[in-house]
Amino acid sequence: MEKLRKMVNQIAYTPQQNRLSKLSALQLSLIPILSLASTLYSFALPLRCRLYQLGLLQKNRLPVPVISVGNLTWGGNGKTPMVEFLAVWLSAAGISPLILTRGYSGADEAKMLQRHLYGTPVKIGVGANRANTAASFLKRYGYISPWKHGDTDLEGLLSNRKQGSCSCSDQIGIAILDDGMQHSSFWRDIEIVMVNAMIPWGNHQLIPLGPLREPLTALTRADIVVIHHADLVSEKDVEAIASEIQKVKNSLPIFMSRLAPLYFLKAGNTPCKLALMDISNTLVLCVSAIASADSFVEMIKKLGPVFADRLDFSDHHLFQAKDIDMIKMRLLNLQSEFAMKPVVVVTEKVSRSFKTYRPFLFFVSVVRRPYPYLVEIERLSSNTSLELLTSYYNFLVFTDLDLLGL
């Protein structure tokens, strides 16, 4: 299954003109099947939309404002960091947010949010039926409706809270819909769409032939677009993405975001911070199970290792003993080739899959962000410096092959 996912993913991000040179014979044989499935999917999309328009499918309206954070393509667009940023920002403004997430594959991202937001007034509701989850939380904690206090829009709510006290009530004041763009059963007040600057639209085809959940015309529903990993591509590439977006909706505000590592932490001794320079001039193996592995590897490369090798697994991959054996074998090969001990770097999401293999762990690195902010893309064409919304992921670093039994 893992090999099939990788093959389909490569097809989705290979332009049509490069298929013969880039894809294997087996991958080429899959294209007609994937194309048929994409065609059927393209017929189902407008039908579903029409059913909502006719009222045959019901939209849920919560008694609090709703911010949706979503994307047009599958995974790797920075939704989770954006959701967390919004939750922290709203809490600082004195508004208690409720995050509604489906909790894919063991709810690894939901658990990560719970760890990061522990001790804050943020509530996290996990469940496939987010309407029922929301109702349960609203009943349990109560809510503050902005309309009862004369705030008819989200901007008014935030403005009034900033002028007043920043003490956060336990009552829910706003809901954040994680991965909500295609969740049509929820009414939302703001639609934020995340776009991966490194691989924005893939081959421009709908799933499963391509990575698009909806055609680009769906951007007409968006209120804000954030181009994620904007620092990992050229300014020209960012402007090209922005231009394509503005062809769909010219008035759409466009912002940028990036990852910003600050320090490492040692496993089993998390208060012990290690400097980023500790990974420079080392041999690194990047192990990931996220949707955008390229961005993770590029970020590690910026820290100055001698060489950065990689092992990529599918998003939300559940690691097994054979995967650990594969990592160990790669480490042995790297040590033999470079005559130095390698360092293994994995994302925090991956680290939780290694609970069964605790002897495998040695160092933990945590990548934090300074307090983030948004700057509109129009600044790209001005003389002012480009400022980016900063988000973060956590990473584990493993070193010392003796602990791996090698």
PDB file of all heavy atoms in Angstrom, residues 313-338:
ATOM      1  N   PHE A 313       7.983   8.629   3.925  1.00  0.00           N
ATOM      2  CA  PHE A 313       6.837   7.732   4.047  1.00  0.00           C
ATOM      3  C   PHE A 313       5.570   8.548   3.821  1.00  0.00           C
ATOM      4  O   PHE A 313       5.585   9.782   3.877  1.00  0.00           O
ATOM      5  CB  PHE A 313       6.814   7.073   5.427  1.00  0.00           C
ATOM      6  CG  PHE A 313       7.975   6.156   5.686  1.00  0.00           C
ATOM      7  CD1 PHE A 313       9.181   6.660   6.185  1.00  0.00           C
ATOM      8  CD2 PHE A 313       7.890   4.799   5.421  1.00  0.00           C
ATOM      9  CE1 PHE A 313      10.264   5.822   6.422  1.00  0.00           C
ATOM     10  CE2 PHE A 313       8.973   3.951   5.663  1.00  0.00           C
ATOM     11  CZ  PHE A 313      10.159   4.468   6.161  1.00  0.00           C
ATOM     12  N   SER A 314       4.470   7.876   3.578  1.00  0.00           N
ATOM     13  CA  SER A 314       3.203   8.555   3.333  1.00  0.00           C
ATOM     14  C   SER A 314       2.733   9.313   4.564  1.00  0.00           C
ATOM     15  O   SER A 314       3.091   8.967   5.700  1.00  0.00           O
ATOM     16  CB  SER A 314       2.119   7.548   2.920  1.00  0.00           C
ATOM     17  OG  SER A 314       2.469   6.907   1.719  1.00  0.00           O
ATOM     18  N   ASP A 315       1.934  10.335   4.346  1.00  0.00           N
ATOM     19  CA  ASP A 315       1.390  11.130   5.441  1.00  0.00           C
ATOM     20  C   ASP A 315       0.625  10.230   6.415  1.00  0.00           C
ATOM     21  O   ASP A 315      -0.137   9.360   5.999  1.00  0.00           O
ATOM     22  CB  ASP A 315       0.448  12.200   4.868  1.00  0.00           C
ATOM     23  CG  ASP A 315       0.168  13.309   5.871  1.00  0.00           C
ATOM     24  OD1 ASP A 315       0.877  13.391   6.886  1.00  0.00           O
ATOM     25  OD2 ASP A 315      -0.765  14.098   5.614  1.00  0.00           O
ATOM     26  N   HIS A 316       0.850  10.425   7.704  1.00  0.00           N
ATOM     27  CA  HIS A 316       0.199   9.659   8.783  1.00  0.00           C
ATOM     28  C   HIS A 316       0.626   8.191   8.794  1.00  0.00           C
ATOM     29  O   HIS A 316      -0.084   7.340   9.337  1.00  0.00           O
ATOM     30  CB  HIS A 316      -1.331   9.723   8.673  1.00  0.00           C
ATOM     31  CG  HIS A 316      -1.881  11.116   8.634  1.00  0.00           C
ATOM     32  ND1 HIS A 316      -1.938  11.929   9.738  1.00  0.00           N
ATOM     33  CD2 HIS A 316      -2.410  11.838   7.605  1.00  0.00           C
ATOM     34  CE1 HIS A 316      -2.473  13.096   9.403  1.00  0.00           C
ATOM     35  NE2 HIS A 316      -2.765  13.061   8.126  1.00  0.00           N
ATOM     36  N   HIS A 317       1.765   7.884   8.199  1.00  0.00           N
ATOM     37  CA  HIS A 317       2.236   6.493   8.153  1.00  0.00           C
ATOM     38  C   HIS A 317       2.445   5.939   9.559  1.00  0.00           C
ATOM     39  O   HIS A 317       2.989   6.611  10.434  1.00  0.00           O
ATOM     40  CB  HIS A 317       3.550   6.422   7.373  1.00  0.00           C
ATOM     41  CG  HIS A 317       4.151   5.052   7.296  1.00  0.00           C
ATOM     42  ND1 HIS A 317       3.612   4.042   6.533  1.00  0.00           N
ATOM     43  CD2 HIS A 317       5.241   4.515   7.910  1.00  0.00           C
ATOM     44  CE1 HIS A 317       4.344   2.956   6.650  1.00  0.00           C
ATOM     45  NE2 HIS A 317       5.332   3.215   7.489  1.00  0.00           N
ATOM     46  N   LEU A 318       1.997   4.715   9.788  1.00  0.00           N
ATOM     47  CA  LEU A 318       2.193   4.036  11.072  1.00  0.00           C
ATOM     48  C   LEU A 318       3.423   3.139  10.953  1.00  0.00           C
ATOM     49  O   LEU A 318       3.414   2.155  10.222  1.00  0.00           O
ATOM     50  CB  LEU A 318       0.957   3.204  11.436  1.00  0.00           C
ATOM     51  CG  LEU A 318      -0.339   4.000  11.632  1.00  0.00           C
ATOM     52  CD1 LEU A 318      -1.504   3.061  11.912  1.00  0.00           C
ATOM     53  CD2 LEU A 318      -0.196   5.016  12.762  1.00  0.00           C
ATOM     54  N   PHE A 319       4.482   3.503  11.662  1.00  0.00           N
ATOM     55  CA  PHE A 319       5.746   2.803  11.528  1.00  0.00           C
ATOM     56  C   PHE A 319       5.697   1.423  12.164  1.00  0.00           C
ATOM     57  O   PHE A 319       5.089   1.223  13.211  1.00  0.00           O
ATOM     58  CB  PHE A 319       6.870   3.634  12.157  1.00  0.00           C
ATOM     59  CG  PHE A 319       7.312   4.774  11.289  1.00  0.00           C
ATOM     60  CD1 PHE A 319       6.583   5.951  11.253  1.00  0.00           C
ATOM     61  CD2 PHE A 319       8.435   4.663  10.488  1.00  0.00           C
ATOM     62  CE1 PHE A 319       6.963   7.005  10.449  1.00  0.00           C
ATOM     63  CE2 PHE A 319       8.830   5.707   9.686  1.00  0.00           C
ATOM     64  CZ  PHE A 319       8.098   6.886   9.663  1.00  0.00           C
ATOM     65  N   GLN A 320       6.362   0.490  11.489  1.00  0.00           N
ATOM     66  CA  GLN A 320       6.459  -0.879  11.956  1.00  0.00           C
ATOM     67  C   GLN A 320       7.932  -1.252  12.093  1.00  0.00           C
ATOM     68  O   GLN A 320       8.818  -0.495  11.700  1.00  0.00           O
ATOM     69  CB  GLN A 320       5.746  -1.815  10.969  1.00  0.00           C
ATOM     70  CG  GLN A 320       4.278  -1.489  10.774  1.00  0.00           C
ATOM     71  CD  GLN A 320       3.631  -2.358   9.713  1.00  0.00           C
ATOM     72  OE1 GLN A 320       4.217  -3.335   9.254  1.00  0.00           O
ATOM     73  NE2 GLN A 320       2.423  -2.001   9.316  1.00  0.00           N
ATOM     74  N   ALA A 321       8.176  -2.446  12.613  1.00  0.00           N
ATOM     75  CA  ALA A 321       9.549  -2.884  12.848  1.00  0.00           C
ATOM     76  C   ALA A 321      10.363  -2.888  11.552  1.00  0.00           C
ATOM     77  O   ALA A 321      11.546  -2.537  11.546  1.00  0.00           O
ATOM     78  CB  ALA A 321       9.548  -4.276  13.476  1.00  0.00           C
ATOM     79  N   LYS A 322       9.736  -3.262  10.439  1.00  0.00           N
ATOM     80  CA  LYS A 322      10.466  -3.303   9.170  1.00  0.00           C
ATOM     81  C   LYS A 322      10.912  -1.910   8.733  1.00  0.00           C
ATOM     82  O   LYS A 322      11.955  -1.767   8.072  1.00  0.00           O
ATOM     83  CB  LYS A 322       9.597  -3.958   8.085  1.00  0.00           C
ATOM     84  CG  LYS A 322       8.327  -3.206   7.742  1.00  0.00           C
ATOM     85  CD  LYS A 322       7.556  -3.904   6.637  1.00  0.00           C
ATOM     86  CE  LYS A 322       6.288  -3.120   6.264  1.00  0.00           C
ATOM     87  NZ  LYS A 322       5.524  -3.796   5.195  1.00  0.00           N
ATOM     88  N   ASP A 323      10.133  -0.889   9.095  1.00  0.00           N
ATOM     89  CA  ASP A 323      10.521   0.485   8.760  1.00  0.00           C
ATOM     90  C   ASP A 323      11.739   0.904   9.570  1.00  0.00           C
ATOM     91  O   ASP A 323      12.643   1.574   9.055  1.00  0.00           O
ATOM     92  CB  ASP A 323       9.360   1.449   9.022  1.00  0.00           C
ATOM     93  CG  ASP A 323       8.120   1.105   8.225  1.00  0.00           C
ATOM     94  OD1 ASP A 323       8.270   0.795   7.034  1.00  0.00           O
ATOM     95  OD2 ASP A 323       7.014   1.138   8.795  1.00  0.00           O
ATOM     96  N   ILE A 324      11.763   0.526  10.847  1.00  0.00           N
ATOM     97  CA  ILE A 324      12.910   0.827  11.700  1.00  0.00           C
ATOM     98  C   ILE A 324      14.152   0.123  11.167  1.00  0.00           C
ATOM     99  O   ILE A 324      15.245   0.696  11.124  1.00  0.00           O
ATOM    100  CB  ILE A 324      12.647   0.406  13.157  1.00  0.00           C
ATOM    101  CG1 ILE A 324      11.379   1.103  13.681  1.00  0.00           C
ATOM    102  CG2 ILE A 324      13.844   0.717  14.039  1.00  0.00           C
ATOM    103  CD1 ILE A 324      11.438   2.611  13.655  1.00  0.00           C
ATOM    104  N   ASP A 325      13.992  -1.126  10.713  1.00  0.00           N
ATOM    105  CA  ASP A 325      15.114  -1.868  10.119  1.00  0.00           C
ATOM    106  C   ASP A 325      15.625  -1.155   8.868  1.00  0.00           C
ATOM    107  O   ASP A 325      16.837  -1.109   8.616  1.00  0.00           O
ATOM    108  CB  ASP A 325      14.679  -3.290   9.771  1.00  0.00           C
ATOM    109  CG  ASP A 325      14.420  -4.149  11.012  1.00  0.00           C
ATOM    110  OD1 ASP A 325      14.948  -3.791  12.087  1.00  0.00           O
ATOM    111  OD2 ASP A 325      13.692  -5.149  10.892  1.00  0.00           O
ATOM    112  N   MET A 326      14.700  -0.601   8.081  1.00  0.00           N
ATOM    113  CA  MET A 326      15.085   0.126   6.879  1.00  0.00           C
ATOM    114  C   MET A 326      15.910   1.372   7.232  1.00  0.00           C
ATOM    115  O   MET A 326      16.920   1.678   6.587  1.00  0.00           O
ATOM    116  CB  MET A 326      13.835   0.543   6.091  1.00  0.00           C
ATOM    117  CG  MET A 326      14.132   1.217   4.744  1.00  0.00           C
ATOM    118  SD  MET A 326      12.653   1.937   3.988  1.00  0.00           S
ATOM    119  CE  MET A 326      11.573   0.508   3.925  1.00  0.00           C
ATOM    120  N   ILE A 327      15.482   2.082   8.288  1.00  0.00           N
ATOM    121  CA  ILE A 327      16.211   3.271   8.727  1.00  0.00           C
ATOM    122  C   ILE A 327      17.607   2.881   9.216  1.00  0.00           C
ATOM    123  O   ILE A 327      18.609   3.528   8.880  1.00  0.00           O
ATOM    124  CB  ILE A 327      15.427   3.995   9.847  1.00  0.00           C
ATOM    125  CG1 ILE A 327      14.094   4.523   9.303  1.00  0.00           C
ATOM    126  CG2 ILE A 327      16.249   5.132  10.438  1.00  0.00           C
ATOM    127  CD1 ILE A 327      13.150   5.047  10.368  1.00  0.00           C
ATOM    128  N   LYS A 328      17.690   1.810  10.002  1.00  0.00           N
ATOM    129  CA  LYS A 328      18.982   1.358  10.506  1.00  0.00           C
ATOM    130  C   LYS A 328      19.926   0.986   9.369  1.00  0.00           C
ATOM    131  O   LYS A 328      21.122   1.302   9.402  1.00  0.00           O
ATOM    132  CB  LYS A 328      18.774   0.152  11.429  1.00  0.00           C
ATOM    133  CG  LYS A 328      18.122   0.477  12.764  1.00  0.00           C
ATOM    134  CD  LYS A 328      17.973  -0.779  13.598  1.00  0.00           C
ATOM    135  CE  LYS A 328      17.346  -0.473  14.958  1.00  0.00           C
ATOM    136  NZ  LYS A 328      17.195  -1.692  15.776  1.00  0.00           N
ATOM    137  N   MET A 329      19.389   0.312   8.350  1.00  0.00           N
ATOM    138  CA  MET A 329      20.213  -0.081   7.213  1.00  0.00           C
ATOM    139  C   MET A 329      20.724   1.146   6.458  1.00  0.00           C
ATOM    140  O   MET A 329      21.902   1.207   6.063  1.00  0.00           O
ATOM    141  CB  MET A 329      19.404  -0.978   6.267  1.00  0.00           C
ATOM    142  CG  MET A 329      20.196  -1.507   5.074  1.00  0.00           C
ATOM    143  SD  MET A 329      21.650  -2.454   5.565  1.00  0.00           S
ATOM    144  CE  MET A 329      20.853  -3.865   6.374  1.00  0.00           C
ATOM    145  N   ARG A 330      19.868   2.144   6.290  1.00  0.00           N
ATOM    146  CA  ARG A 330      20.289   3.375   5.613  1.00  0.00           C
ATOM    147  C   ARG A 330      21.387   4.074   6.418  1.00  0.00           C
ATOM    148  O   ARG A 330      22.335   4.605   5.853  1.00  0.00           O
ATOM    149  CB  ARG A 330      19.098   4.304   5.410  1.00  0.00           C
ATOM    150  CG  ARG A 330      19.423   5.602   4.673  1.00  0.00           C
ATOM    151  CD  ARG A 330      19.813   5.363   3.218  1.00  0.00           C
ATOM    152  NE  ARG A 330      18.693   4.860   2.452  1.00  0.00           N
ATOM    153  CZ  ARG A 330      17.799   5.649   1.826  1.00  0.00           C
ATOM    154  NH1 ARG A 330      17.901   6.948   1.900  1.00  0.00           N
ATOM    155  NH2 ARG A 330      16.810   5.100   1.127  1.00  0.00           N
ATOM    156  N   LEU A 331      21.255   4.061   7.740  1.00  0.00           N
ATOM    157  CA  LEU A 331      22.261   4.683   8.597  1.00  0.00           C
ATOM    158  C   LEU A 331      23.610   3.984   8.466  1.00  0.00           C
ATOM    159  O   LEU A 331      24.660   4.634   8.406  1.00  0.00           O
ATOM    160  CB  LEU A 331      21.801   4.659  10.048  1.00  0.00           C
ATOM    161  CG  LEU A 331      20.631   5.579  10.408  1.00  0.00           C
ATOM    162  CD1 LEU A 331      20.152   5.301  11.828  1.00  0.00           C
ATOM    163  CD2 LEU A 331      21.029   7.035  10.268  1.00  0.00           C
ATOM    164  N   LEU A 332      23.598   2.655   8.423  1.00  0.00           N
ATOM    165  CA  LEU A 332      24.833   1.894   8.259  1.00  0.00           C
ATOM    166  C   LEU A 332      25.496   2.231   6.929  1.00  0.00           C
ATOM    167  O   LEU A 332      26.722   2.399   6.849  1.00  0.00           O
ATOM    168  CB  LEU A 332      24.543   0.397   8.345  1.00  0.00           C
ATOM    169  CG  LEU A 332      24.324  -0.185   9.745  1.00  0.00           C
ATOM    170  CD1 LEU A 332      23.905  -1.642   9.650  1.00  0.00           C
ATOM    171  CD2 LEU A 332      25.599  -0.061  10.568  1.00  0.00           C
ATOM    172  N   ASN A 333      24.695   2.334   5.871  1.00  0.00           N
ATOM    173  CA  ASN A 333      25.229   2.658   4.556  1.00  0.00           C
ATOM    174  C   ASN A 333      25.836   4.052   4.534  1.00  0.00           C
ATOM    175  O   ASN A 333      26.897   4.282   3.936  1.00  0.00           O
ATOM    176  CB  ASN A 333      24.135   2.552   3.499  1.00  0.00           C
ATOM    177  CG  ASN A 333      23.661   1.131   3.282  1.00  0.00           C
ATOM    178  OD1 ASN A 333      24.387   0.175   3.603  1.00  0.00           O
ATOM    179  ND2 ASN A 333      22.461   0.955   2.754  1.00  0.00           N
ATOM    180  N   LEU A 334      25.155   5.003   5.187  1.00  0.00           N
ATOM    181  CA  LEU A 334      25.664   6.375   5.234  1.00  0.00           C
ATOM    182  C   LEU A 334      26.973   6.441   6.019  1.00  0.00           C
ATOM    183  O   LEU A 334      27.928   7.120   5.621  1.00  0.00           O
ATOM    184  CB  LEU A 334      24.621   7.299   5.874  1.00  0.00           C
ATOM    185  CG  LEU A 334      23.411   7.664   5.020  1.00  0.00           C
ATOM    186  CD1 LEU A 334      22.358   8.401   5.859  1.00  0.00           C
ATOM    187  CD2 LEU A 334      23.819   8.534   3.834  1.00  0.00           C
ATOM    188  N   GLN A 335      27.019   5.731   7.138  1.00  0.00           N
ATOM    189  CA  GLN A 335      28.242   5.732   7.955  1.00  0.00           C
ATOM    190  C   GLN A 335      29.402   5.119   7.189  1.00  0.00           C
ATOM    191  O   GLN A 335      30.540   5.607   7.260  1.00  0.00           O
ATOM    192  CB  GLN A 335      28.011   4.968   9.257  1.00  0.00           C
ATOM    193  CG  GLN A 335      29.210   5.034  10.203  1.00  0.00           C
ATOM    194  CD  GLN A 335      28.915   4.391  11.549  1.00  0.00           C
ATOM    195  OE1 GLN A 335      27.900   3.728  11.711  1.00  0.00           O
ATOM    196  NE2 GLN A 335      29.800   4.585  12.507  1.00  0.00           N
ATOM    197  N   SER A 336      29.112   4.082   6.430  1.00  0.00           N
ATOM    198  CA  SER A 336      30.152   3.436   5.635  1.00  0.00           C
ATOM    199  C   SER A 336      30.637   4.348   4.513  1.00  0.00           C
ATOM    200  O   SER A 336      31.841   4.435   4.237  1.00  0.00           O
ATOM    201  CB  SER A 336      29.610   2.129   5.056  1.00  0.00           C
ATOM    202  OG  SER A 336      30.547   1.545   4.180  1.00  0.00           O
ATOM    203  N   GLU A 337      29.712   5.061   3.887  1.00  0.00           N
ATOM    204  CA  GLU A 337      30.065   5.905   2.746  1.00  0.00           C
ATOM    205  C   GLU A 337      30.823   7.166   3.157  1.00  0.00           C
ATOM    206  O   GLU A 337      31.767   7.588   2.487  1.00  0.00           O
ATOM    207  CB  GLU A 337      28.793   6.294   1.989  1.00  0.00           C
ATOM    208  CG  GLU A 337      29.040   7.142   0.756  1.00  0.00           C
ATOM    209  CD  GLU A 337      27.761   7.494   0.022  1.00  0.00           C
ATOM    210  OE1 GLU A 337      26.691   6.951   0.382  1.00  0.00           O
ATOM    211  OE2 GLU A 337      27.827   8.321  -0.920  1.00  0.00           O
ATOM    212  N   PHE A 338      30.402   7.788   4.279  1.00  0.00           N
ATOM    213  CA  PHE A 338      30.979   9.073   4.672  1.00  0.00           C
ATOM    214  C   PHE A 338      31.982   8.964   5.827  1.00  0.00           C
ATOM    215  O   PHE A 338      32.595   9.953   6.211  1.00  0.00           O
ATOM    216  CB  PHE A 338      29.866  10.048   5.069  1.00  0.00           C
ATOM    217  CG  PHE A 338      29.035  10.518   3.911  1.00  0.00           C
ATOM    218  CD1 PHE A 338      27.915   9.801   3.501  1.00  0.00           C
ATOM    219  CD2 PHE A 338      29.366  11.675   3.230  1.00  0.00           C
ATOM    220  CE1 PHE A 338      27.133  10.234   2.435  1.00  0.00           C
ATOM    221  CE2 PHE A 338      28.608  12.118   2.162  1.00  0.00           C
ATOM    222  CZ  PHE A 338      27.486  11.397   1.752  1.00  0.00           C
TER     223      PHE A 338
END
